[in-house]
Amino acid sequence: MPLFNRVLVQRVAVETKTASGILLPESAQKALNQGTVVAVGPGGRAPDGTKLPMEIKVGDDVLLPEYGGQKVKLGDDEYTLYQDVDLLGIMSK
């Protein structure tokens, strides 16, 4: 579980093939700026010491910034750790 106001996100896999079946080389693949929340910290603290609840919950699909976050590898899976304020939005289902 992440600490404070941090969120662990697994990015959506990049498409390696076009709709017509053409395989794309790695140089042509674009990283998608969306992912799924895997774990959420308990929340941050305001300057007066009160606890700030998290708006994001496990399972939310979120929009990610193009740069930033801390890459984390757990076993064979790769994740990115963000602070809650760095995430751009929650995608509605």
Side-chain angles (χ1 to χ4, degrees):
M1 172 185 256
L3 297 175
F4 305 112
N5 63 338
R6 291 184 175 84
V7 180
L8 189 66
V9 176
Q10 186 169 31
R11 285 186 175 263
V12 173
V14 177
E15 292 292 325
T16 59
K17 197 166 39 168
T18 65
S20 60
I22 298 172
L23 293 175
L24 295 171
E26 283 189 34
S27 60
Q29 296 173 7
K30 293 180 93 177
L32 297 176
N33 290 343
Q34 62 186 22
T36 303
V37 176
V38 177
V40 177
R45 295 273 178 192
D48 65 356
T50 59
K51 185 176 176 186
L52 300 173
M54 295 292 282
E55 297 286 329
I56 299 167
K57 57 188 177 303
V58 173
D60 282 348
D61 292 326
V62 292
L63 294 174
L64 305 171
E66 190 171 347
Y67 302 103
Q70 177 66 41
K71 302 243 187 269
V72 178
K73 188 165 185 171
L74 300 173
D76 292 335
D77 298 324
E78 288 189 21
Y79 302 95
T80 309
L81 192 62
Y82 293 97
Q83 288 191 1
D84 62 347
V85 295
D86 293 337
L87 299 176
L88 303 177
I90 301 172
M91 298 174 59
S92 60
K93 292 185 179 186

